[in-house]
Amino acid sequence: MQTKSAQNQKKEPYLYVVATPIGNLEDMTFRAIRTLKEVSLIAAEDTRHTSKLLSYYQITTPVISCHEHNEESRINIIVDKLSQGFDVALVSDAGTPLISDPGYRVVKGVVEAGFQVIPIPGACAAIAGLSVSALPTDSFIFSGFLNKKQARRKSELEALKITKSTIIFYESPHRLVALIEDILSVMGDRPAMVAREITKYYEEYLRGRLSYILESLKSRVSIKGECALFVGSHSDTNNEIFSIESSDIDHLIITALESSEIKPSKLAKSISQKYNLPRSEVYERILDLQSKNL
Ligand code: SAM
């Protein structure tokens, strides 16, 4: 790396894409700190936000803003710096830049201008959450934020429905319930996990079927903090953590029989399909509960 104090040691200048913490300030790698100290300029999503991190690590490198609304115009400044032989770093407010964060146009512009872009890996809510989800990790889709409009969101979910991969969503806490309701209606009651406030004081990992998570979230006065949602495939049924309890099945049967005239065979079909259970067992349980007169 070309340092401020050693600009004459001829080395190709780089744009470093540096991951920063997603909550816990200690989640900075040694290399990330050294890089931010040694580059000539830091392009940050929000200079005030990044200044807290920089002062924590006593980093005094000059900072310019580089966000959604000025990214295009920042490309020239960054490419100019690189052309003069200086290294530049790109950071976002939290986690890995470009992952539901600005930076894509800068990276593309810098590559197009013929310069190297080097990642300095670190925190990312999607990967941190996935690694503790207990959902399959061999194949996953990062879906980020879906559209805020329900009709568009539902068609985005329809397109994702057929995948066998674990799906990762980002969502603001006040829209999380609506997102889960939509996933439930489009994809059925899949195994899932909500990761809230990863690496922070009130971090929480809520695992279960979507219906269980929904019920649990709805029972709260409010949902606070940053949330990521991980949804498993419908075929991931061998996972006891997410399997529906027999008491829950009983509850479903009783509620359905009490609230409608549904035939036992039809109810058995719908429950067995939804929860991937043997239809004959569900049917027998329905008859059993019926014979006990509920
Ligand atoms: N670049 C970031 C990353 O690498 O994860 C993501 C930035 S995006 C603007 C912010 C969203 O990421 C939040 O709304 C939330 O969905 C997720 N997120 C970020 N930090 C989180 C945390 N500590 N716990 C849970 N989710 C988090």
Side-chain angles (χ1 to χ4, degrees), residues 226-269:
E226 296 194 277
C227 301
L229 174 66
F230 303 78
V231 178
S233 134
H234 216 36
S235 56
D236 180 29
T237 50
N238 293 331
N239 202 332
E240 283 184 14
I241 301 166
F242 302 100
S243 66
I244 184 155
E245 299 276 329
S246 46
S247 57
D248 294 337
I249 294 287
D250 285 0
H251 178 72
L252 282 171
I253 294 171
I254 292 165
T255 313
L257 292 175
E258 275 177 349
S259 59
S260 70
E261 301 270 287
I262 191 165
K263 280 189 180 162
S265 56
K266 207 170 169 195
L267 182 58
K269 186 179 173 193

Side-chain angles (χ1 to χ4, degrees), residues 13-284:
Y14 294 147
L15 169 68
Y16 292 97
V17 176
V18 182
T20 59
I22 53 169
N24 188 324
L25 279 184
E26 291 182 2
D27 288 333
M28 277 290 274
T29 65
F30 289 117
R31 190 166 168 235
I33 298 165
R34 182 170 59 76
T35 301
L36 294 181
K37 280 186 175 166
E38 293 184 352
V39 294
S40 295
L41 182 69
I42 299 170
E45 181 181 3
D46 179 339
T47 54
R48 271 183 302 177
H49 187 98
T50 297
S51 70
K52 288 177 207 148
L53 178 76
L54 299 185
S55 67
Y56 186 82
Y57 286 104
Q58 295 165 354
I59 298 167
T60 54
T61 308
V63 185
I64 57 163
S65 69
C66 180
H67 46 72
E68 221 188 323
H69 306 292
N70 70 357
E71 207 180 325
E72 208 66 59
S73 65
R74 289 313 199 208
I75 298 172
N76 290 340
I77 297 176
I78 293 169
V79 168
D80 273 357
K81 270 278 174 201
L82 296 166
S83 307
Q84 292 161 30
F86 295 105
D87 291 323
V88 178
L90 177 74
V91 296
S92 61
D93 285 354
T96 302
L98 281 81
I99 305 302
S100 293
D101 265 344
Y104 164 68
R105 283 173 287 180
V106 166
V107 168
K108 186 166 171 281
V110 167
V111 170
E112 279 168 359
F115 292 98
Q116 276 273 20
V117 183
I118 303 288
I120 307 291
C124 175
I127 300 301
L130 180 68
S131 70
V132 298
S133 67
L135 291 165
T137 54
D138 52 344
S139 169
F140 58 89
I141 291 177
F142 175 70
S143 191
F145 291 95
L146 295 188
N147 204 289
K148 286 185 190 135
K149 298 210 171 85
Q150 191 185 39
R152 294 252 193 103
R153 192 163 64 227
K154 281 198 162 181
S155 59
E156 288 170 338
L157 288 169
E158 286 291 348
L160 286 166
K161 190 177 172 177
I162 53 156
T163 183
K164 289 205 164 23
S165 306
T166 296
I167 314 170
I168 306 171
F169 300 97
Y170 283 170
E171 192 50 283
S172 74
H174 65 275
R175 277 194 292 268
L176 185 62
V177 162
L179 172 67
I180 297 175
E181 281 173 343
D182 287 345
I183 300 173
L184 198 52
S185 80
V186 173
M187 299 188 180
D189 203 7
R190 296 186 177 204
M193 181 189 81
V194 167
R196 206 172 58 79
E197 297 286 81
I198 304 171
T199 76
K200 301 187 202 177
Y201 189 76
Y202 290 109
E203 75 188 312
E204 178 190 13
Y205 303 93
L206 184 58
R207 298 181 187 81
R209 293 269 158 187
L210 284 167
S211 56
Y212 165 78
I213 291 177
L214 188 62
E215 212 174 298
S216 159
L217 293 177
K218 277 181 157 177
S219 69
R220 300 178 186 199
V221 179
S222 66
I223 304 163
K224 294 200 179 100
E226 296 194 277
C227 301
L229 174 66
F230 303 78
V231 178
S233 134
H234 216 36
S235 56
D236 180 29
T237 50
N238 293 331
N239 202 332
E240 283 184 14
I241 301 166
F242 302 100
S243 66
I244 184 155
E245 299 276 329
S246 46
S247 57
D248 294 337
I249 294 287
D250 285 0
H251 178 72
L252 282 171
I253 294 171
I254 292 165
T255 313
L257 292 175
E258 275 177 349
S259 59
S260 70
E261 301 270 287
I262 191 165
K263 280 189 180 162
S265 56
K266 207 170 169 195
L267 182 58
K269 186 179 173 193
S270 107
I271 292 178
S272 62
Q273 278 177 349
K274 199 166 174 190
Y275 298 101
N276 257 303
L277 298 167
R279 197 192 301 189
S280 56
E281 277 180 31
V282 179
Y283 184 68
E284 270 172 36

